[in-house]
Amino acid sequence: MTDTAPADVTGMEWATRRGMGSLAEKMGMEFTEFTVDRCVATMPVEGNTQPVGLLHGGAYVVLGESLGSMAANLHAGPGRLAVGVDINATHTRSATSGIVTGVCTPIHLGRSMTVHEIVVTDDQGRRCSTVRITNMIRDLPQE
């Protein structure tokens, strides 16, 4: 499996081929847009809640990390791998039904580090969580 997008495919094609991973699949995440400048995914609230019926705070973070790490790997390019080194989230509203949407945009796209902000909103477009992730970019070992 190649973690970085070859030059001849779009970001969305690469992301679809690669997939988000088994945790993201279990949580019901789906890509709707995927470029270096903007990545979007949705996730259902149902099945990802705390015992009191609110979307679990960790679910917001998983959505954010999935988007931010995938975006960083797309930016990294062939022969390179981005890995998360820091993540934080501020939850400002609770989703209780429907879907949430994560929109990931770059704050910094460097050669060795990326920083992305992921804004997660509910069905009414209200911000529920803001996630920031930093990824370190490394060269893959030569085979």
Side-chain angles (χ1 to χ4, degrees):
M1 174 181 72
T2 301
D3 283 327
T4 53
D8 62 339
V9 298
T10 68
M12 190 67 177
E13 290 170 329
W14 171 77
T16 300
R17 287 181 195 170
R18 182 175 188 258
M20 286 183 114
S22 59
L23 176 60
E25 290 171 13
K26 287 177 187 174
M27 295 181 75
M29 291 182 206
E30 295 184 15
F31 291 116
T32 59
E33 185 178 337
F34 205 87
T35 68
V36 170
D37 296 320
R38 180 178 153 99
C39 300
V40 181
T42 61
M43 181 178 67
V45 172
E46 185 176 340
N48 295 314
T49 58
Q50 303 173 340
V52 297
L54 307 174
L55 183 64
H56 195 289
Y60 290 114
V61 176
V62 170
L63 178 59
E65 183 159 2
S66 297
L67 280 166
S69 291
M70 291 282 290
N73 274 289
L74 180 62
H75 164 73
R80 308 198 75 214
L81 177 67
V83 293
V85 295
D86 182 67
I87 191 164
N88 67 67
T90 302
H91 310 309
T92 51
R93 180 177 295 277
S94 299
T96 57
S97 63
I99 63 165
V100 292
T101 301
V103 177
C104 174
T105 55
I107 295 171
H108 172 76
L109 295 175
R111 181 178 134 46
S112 62
M113 182 176 289
T114 64
V115 180
H116 287 86
E117 177 182 68
I118 302 88
V119 174
V120 184
T121 57
D122 64 12
D123 282 338
Q124 290 78 45
R126 299 175 298 190
R127 186 181 296 226
C128 295
S129 187
T130 305
V131 181
R132 185 183 56 83
I133 184 169
T134 302
N135 281 277
M136 177 176 54
I137 301 174
R138 298 281 195 170
D139 291 331
L140 288 171
Q142 298 294 326
E143 295 180 9

